[in-house]
Amino acid sequence: MMPTLTEFDTIAAISTPIGEGGISIVRLSGEDAVKIANKLFKGKNLSKVASHTINYGHIVDPETSEVVDEVMVSVLLAPKTFTKEDMVEINCHGGIVVTNKILQLLLKHGARMAEAGEFTKRAFVNGRIDLTQAESVMDIVRAKTDKARQVAMNQLEGVLLVKIRTMRQEILDTLANIEVNIDYPEYDADQVTAKQMQETSKSVIEKINRLLKTASEGKIMRSGLATAIVGRPNVGKSSLLNYLTQDDKAIVTDVAGTTRDTLEEYVSIKGVPLKLVDTAGIHHTEDKVEKIGVERSKKAIEQADLVLLLLNASEDLTPEDEKLIDYTKDKKRIVVLNKSDLGMKLNKEDLAKKTNAEIVVTSILKEENLDDLEEAISKLFFSGIHNSNNDVLVTNQRQAGLLEKAKTQLTDVIDAVDNDVPVDIAQIDFTGAWDTLGEITGDSAPDELITQLFSQFCLGK
């Protein structure tokens, strides 16, 4: 575990979005946080107030005696704070000028501008949270659905941390026995120790596999399911986007080719975030602008996790429809037979055999059977997980990659024992797996990884 650091300079940053609003919060953290805030605060002496209290007063420029704003100041004393350092949060009126003025005064009187993610980094370095919990902080900030928020909260409470540290302890207990055997070989047999190492490797691999099964779901919860809405012109793609977003993001007319570019929007389907892309109709055109839109549509299909292929149920399949069916054959897709209110010329059963895909019959204009579409999307990707409030999901590629690496190292241990490789040689990969799992939580993470990870955070967090 990284040692607790106590001698930091004091940092400051704006923790709320810049712009007009009801309030803004300027945050300080460090051993001089209260001292610096006290220089600017006219009200109670902040060095004498109780911890975890909020105090009314004004921020005043000491040099000019100008009253900058009427504020409420929270004083939070170590160690029971987010960073485990003394913290001060100044709640001022929301506004770019007043918020920046307060921040500049704090910087002028002893604070340093915080780096991206530095408050959370200090929480990690001081042992308040581990890396999985630090990553969950940004997952909460970026959550686009209640389910994504719920998964991130589980991470913040340490559910993944507990599972990783349980696996590390299992390896560590076996390593202790191995070290005894190496130092005192007369008290044990290599075969017994090797078998124990192999059994532990198999046990941990089984636990890793259970976590890796959640990685694709976790990635979608974190980043959203890239969903391309495709079809020939005027089959209802933009109408579907507008229905799902409950907004008029796309122009809807009866003129073919209205959408000339891709439009993106996040929506929640059964608690799952979808990054919807309304594509231009894929068709032959001589219009230069439309050609660009068609090419972008093809690229959107290639990058999509899911394709919603819209067909006009009231018309026979056209050559363009056939091309789209073939073009999307290697993608996960749901075929939507739209405009059913105009009569059905397409046969649902025949299309199911032809496309090997879920078929949903809708009338977007009359909002008929659209619940069936939402259910089909949820069922295709998330059968079972959205009914649980206690899911442990691997939510990012860093975590998944390290789990895969540890699994490979443990598999090498099993193979080494099967091939009668000496215990002290097989132990190298066994110890490596312990270190790799430690990188997930930060227990054995290199400094450059820590710096790179927290640099992705926003200022003030």
Side-chain angles (χ1 to χ4, degrees), residues 234-360:
N234 206 29
V235 292
K237 299 185 299 298
S238 296
S239 295
L240 178 59
L241 175 72
N242 289 341
Y243 169 79
L244 293 173
T245 60
Q246 297 296 303
D247 200 358
D248 294 330
K249 293 289 183 181
I251 302 171
V252 180
T253 73
D254 58 1
V255 178
T258 302
T259 301
R260 294 189 168 209
D261 203 348
T262 57
L263 300 174
E264 293 187 3
E265 186 69 20
Y266 276 95
V267 300
S268 173
I269 300 294
K270 302 290 185 181
V272 176
L274 266 64
K275 184 173 72 173
L276 291 175
V277 182
D278 175 25
T279 63
I282 296 179
H283 62 292
H284 177 73
T285 177
E286 297 300 327
D287 185 292
K288 290 184 178 180
V289 177
E290 281 194 62
K291 278 184 177 180
I292 295 173
V294 169
E295 288 305 313
R296 289 186 179 179
S297 296
K298 290 180 178 179
K299 185 177 181 181
I301 293 172
E302 292 171 2
Q303 296 175 342
D305 300 307
L306 169 66
V307 171
L308 300 180
L309 174 56
L310 269 66
L311 303 174
N312 189 334
S314 66
E315 299 176 357
D316 293 324
L317 289 178
T318 68
E320 289 177 345
D321 291 329
E322 295 281 5
K323 287 180 181 179
L324 284 171
I325 290 172
D326 182 65
Y327 195 77
T328 60
K329 65 182 179 181
D330 295 326
K331 308 295 295 187
K332 281 191 176 182
R333 62 184 176 182
I334 296 172
V335 177
V336 182
L337 304 185
N338 189 36
K339 302 191 178 183
S340 60
D341 55 301
L342 300 179
M344 292 288 296
K345 282 195 174 183
L346 297 180
N347 184 280
K348 181 177 178 180
E349 288 70 27
D350 290 344
L351 274 171
K353 292 178 182 178
K354 183 182 181 70
T355 62
N356 192 30
E358 181 84 14
I359 309 294
V360 179

Side-chain angles (χ1 to χ4, degrees), residues 36-56:
I36 293 170
N38 224 10
K39 293 179 182 178
L40 312 178
F41 184 67
K42 185 177 181 180
K44 292 182 179 179
N45 185 340
L46 297 179
S47 64
K48 296 182 179 180
V49 302
S51 180
H52 293 73
T53 59
I54 189 163
N55 306 275
Y56 170 79

Side-chain angles (χ1 to χ4, degrees), residues 149-162:
R149 175 202 59 77
Q150 189 180 81
V151 169
M153 277 303 302
N154 283 346
Q155 298 281 59
L156 185 58
E157 290 170 5
V159 290
L160 181 59
L161 170 65
V162 170

Side-chain angles (χ1 to χ4, degrees), residues 27-30 33-34 46 49-55 73-89:
R27 175 186 276 181
L28 285 159
S29 182
V34 176
L46 297 179
V49 302
S51 180
H52 293 73
T53 59
I54 189 163
N55 306 275
V73 176
S74 299
V75 175
L76 311 162
L77 301 180
K80 294 184 178 180
T81 69
F82 178 62
T83 60
K84 297 190 76 172
E85 303 173 336
D86 288 350
M87 295 186 68
V88 173
E89 292 186 347

